[in-house]
Amino acid sequence: MLLFRRLRSSFELAVIYMENCPRKLRKVVEKGVEGKVFRATVINWLPTMYLPAVHCEYVGDMGDSETRRRIVLQSNNVQDKFPGVVESSPLPKIEDIAQEELESREDFRATRVFSIDPETARDLDDALSITKLDNDHFEVSVHIADVSHFVKPDSAVDLEARNRATSVYLVRSVIPMLPRRLCEDLCSLNPQVDRLSFSVRWRMDGEGNVRKTWFGKSVIRSCTKLSYEQAQEMIDTEPGELPQGLEVDVGNGFKLDDIVYDVQQLHGIAQNLRRRRFANGCITFHRSEMKFILDSKGNPTGLNHVLGGTPANHLVEEFMLLANSSVARFISDAFPDFATLRRHPPPNPSGLEKVAKLCEQCLQENVNYG
């Protein structure tokens, strides 16, 4: 007889008698159940039944990292695989997109576009470009992958994405919200391939003061993918020089020194944008990101604390924030009766009291939070 209890609980969930146990499951049980994990799914529970009827499957050994991964996913109802109807949904190839569609979009394929992401990122959903104009003015653009071209409302892919709501990040893997063919290929702004996007383009001065804004559908061809670490090396390099030993694959006829120049120009403008945001009272949280050190079997052996607040991170953050605020302002002006604003609830007064008392005790400062 198998007696099932929830993990970390003494609550009896189900009983399976060995004579009713499927042959495959029985072979696992006969070798011993110590340290093994099974999943029991309730399929029926009549009022006359003390315990429910269940479907049982063997998950794996508790000491195995893949078993623990499956436990985390299944305990939180996260589906690792996509339903067949989603996987089989027809998706166009980028080369099959109608020429009329490409011609209707702003063409940035000859512009020096590049992305900056974590080193291990496979879904590149945003990119940047900057062009020097006359009189210390620049044309700066943010390009976001045009997912809506491929995911139509109420399609099987759309409904599954709504149900998932977000991608789930684990130590060794990512469970994506969209099928990998979309998020890692068609809707990923990979270098040296044509990709559909939405773009925000500003004409601004070196201080980051915006003079003109344009929004629209676009087509881009990124020339390279940078990691935050590579971008930071470029920022730390003296103007006119190249980072020592830095290897970056740059395509579309551009050179590494072009990218270094662009990153340094964007960094200078981003510093001014950030300085202005802080002067206007923005709040920031200095947080370090924990990264696990894994052995060859995927088991954690240690931790690294990686600071996320480098100038390269700030560069991307500032232009993404500027894009969000520009679009929000445009929507608010165009649809004043329909535009919505995400608002956080007022702070908890009791929490503010504790902070105020702590400031008085430690800093001898009176805090007015009314």
Side-chain angles (χ1 to χ4, degrees):
M1 181 179 73
L2 289 177
L3 173 65
F4 284 87
R5 294 190 177 96
R6 292 180 183 273
L7 286 172
R8 299 177 295 277
S9 172
S10 60
F11 174 68
E12 294 180 357
L13 176 65
V15 172
I16 295 180
Y17 294 95
M18 290 303 295
E19 57 267 27
N20 298 327
C21 195
R23 182 181 301 175
K24 187 177 179 180
L25 184 62
R26 192 183 307 165
K27 286 183 178 180
V28 175
V29 173
E30 287 172 351
K31 294 179 182 179
V33 296
E34 185 69 29
K36 289 184 168 59
V37 179
F38 299 84
R39 183 187 187 193
T41 305
V42 175
I43 57 176
N44 194 12
W45 198 345
L46 298 174
T48 56
M49 299 166 60
Y50 173 66
L51 290 172
V54 298
H55 172 266
C56 180
E57 61 178 310
Y58 172 55
V59 177
D61 296 330
M62 178 59 87
D64 180 61
S65 60
E66 178 58 25
T67 299
R68 296 197 296 269
R69 173 183 173 275
R70 292 181 64 186
I71 290 172
V72 170
L73 295 177
Q74 292 177 2
S75 299
N76 291 277
N77 198 30
V78 176
Q79 303 301 315
D80 200 351
K81 297 182 179 179
F82 284 88
V85 66
V86 174
E87 291 286 11
S88 61
S89 295
L91 294 172
K93 296 180 181 179
I94 196 72
E95 55 267 26
D96 294 337
I97 294 175
Q99 187 64 29
E100 294 80 6
E101 173 67 30
L102 297 178
E103 291 175 354
S104 69
R105 293 170 174 258
E106 188 76 6
D107 195 342
F108 286 89
R109 285 176 290 186
T111 303
R112 203 158 53 233
V113 178
F114 56 91
S115 58
I116 304 176
D117 288 279
E119 186 176 5
T120 57
R122 291 185 294 180
D123 51 338
L124 315 180
D125 53 9
D126 55 70
L128 293 158
S129 61
I130 180 170
T131 302
K132 180 76 164 62
L133 305 176
D134 296 332
N135 303 323
D136 192 35
H137 279 67
F138 299 86
E139 200 167 77
V140 180
S141 301
V142 165
H143 313 278
I144 307 295
D146 184 2
V147 180
S148 64
H149 181 84
F150 301 96
V151 181
K152 301 306 180 184
D154 298 324
S155 64
V157 176
D158 180 42
L159 295 175
E160 180 65 18
R162 287 190 220 175
N163 184 52
R164 293 184 175 225
T166 183
S167 296
V168 177
Y169 291 82
L170 301 177
V171 173
R172 294 186 300 141
S173 61
V174 178
I175 314 302
M177 184 177 72
L178 294 170
R180 294 189 186 278
R181 189 182 165 199
L182 280 173
C183 64
E184 295 179 9
D185 185 13
L186 293 175
C187 298
S188 182
L189 306 183
N190 299 328
Q192 301 177 42
V193 288
D194 291 353
R195 286 293 180 260
L196 303 184
S197 54
F198 275 98
S199 298
V200 183
R201 180 174 60 202
W202 304 279
R203 177 168 291 194
M204 60 175 66
D205 60 26
E207 294 297 315
N209 298 304
V210 175
R211 307 302 184 189
K212 187 177 180 181
T213 306
W214 173 89
F215 308 91
K217 291 186 176 184
S218 55
V219 55
I220 69 169
R221 187 180 180 89
S222 172
C223 66
T224 192
K225 167 193 172 184
L226 300 179
S227 67
Y228 282 113
E229 291 78 11
Q230 290 172 328
Q232 188 58 50
E233 284 190 58
M234 295 177 181
I235 291 171
D236 294 337
T237 300
E238 290 295 323
E241 297 183 5
L242 291 178
Q244 293 294 321
L246 181 63
E247 295 184 4
V248 177
D249 182 20
V250 181
N252 303 352
F254 298 114
K255 298 179 181 179
L256 178 58
D257 52 356
D258 297 325
I259 305 301
V260 173
Y261 175 80
D262 288 350
V263 169
Q264 291 178 343
Q265 295 299 313
L266 287 169
H267 168 61
I269 297 174
Q271 283 185 306
N272 293 324
L273 292 172
R274 188 173 181 82
R275 192 178 302 115
R276 189 153 48 254
R277 277 202 309 118
F278 276 88
N280 290 333
C282 84
I283 297 175
T284 187
F285 300 95
H286 296 287
R287 296 178 297 180
S288 62
E289 178 183 343
M290 288 193 304
K291 290 193 174 181
F292 287 92
I293 302 171
L294 307 176
D295 62 18
S296 58
K297 296 182 179 179
N299 295 310
T301 60
L303 278 175
N304 270 339
H305 291 271
V306 181
L307 292 176
T310 67
N313 292 98
H314 295 162
L315 184 160
V316 176
E317 178 184 7
E318 289 305 321
F319 285 107
M320 295 306 133
L321 286 172
L322 183 61
N324 285 340
S325 60
S326 297
V327 171
R329 191 175 298 110
F330 179 81
I331 293 174
S332 178
D333 291 342
F335 308 103
D337 297 330
F338 299 98
T340 57
L341 174 68
R342 186 182 72 176
R343 297 183 62 189
H344 296 283
N348 188 329
S350 63
L352 289 173
E353 282 184 24
K354 293 178 182 178
V355 173
K357 288 180 180 178
L358 186 63
C359 290
E360 291 175 4
Q361 294 171 1
C362 301
L363 305 175
Q364 287 76 49
E365 291 285 346
N366 292 321
V367 177
N368 181 9
Y369 56 88

